[in-house]
Amino acid sequence: SYTRDNEREADADAVAMLKRANISPMPTAKLFRDLAPKEGKGARLSAELMESHPLTVRRAGAFAASAVRGRRYRPALSP
């Protein structure tokens, strides 16, 4: 099973990969912000998730903090 530290490390790796690819981390931050209000709504899943994952609002903050203001990012997906 994974720990919060494992998940934080995975998030840091994701931020680093996005940075290397010049892709904005803001959509991931938005995903976590959108998920935050739903924490606690699915009792069993939520309890398991909360034991092994960092708080969603903190994850959103970490991704948002990695964004470089004014930087022109390339799209993650092409049309």
Side-chain angles (χ1 to χ4, degrees):
S1 94
Y2 295 100
T3 66
R4 285 186 174 192
D5 286 338
N6 294 135
E7 291 297 326
R8 275 190 282 274
E9 184 178 336
D11 286 352
D13 289 345
V15 166
M17 285 186 263
L18 290 169
K19 185 176 184 176
R20 279 193 307 273
N22 194 37
I23 296 171
S24 175
M26 294 308 293
T28 307
K30 182 182 181 323
L31 168 73
F32 286 125
R33 278 195 309 272
D34 290 350
L35 287 174
K38 295 171 178 41
E39 282 183 345
K41 300 235 166 128
R44 182 173 165 200
L45 175 61
S46 184
E48 291 172 9
L49 189 68
M50 294 305 293
E51 287 176 8
S52 64
H53 288 68
L55 295 176
T56 303
V57 291
R58 288 191 180 154
R59 296 176 90 179
F63 277 88
S66 71
V68 177
R69 178 167 270 186
R71 184 171 186 169
R72 292 182 53 100
Y73 290 104
R74 68 182 187 93
L77 303 173
S78 57

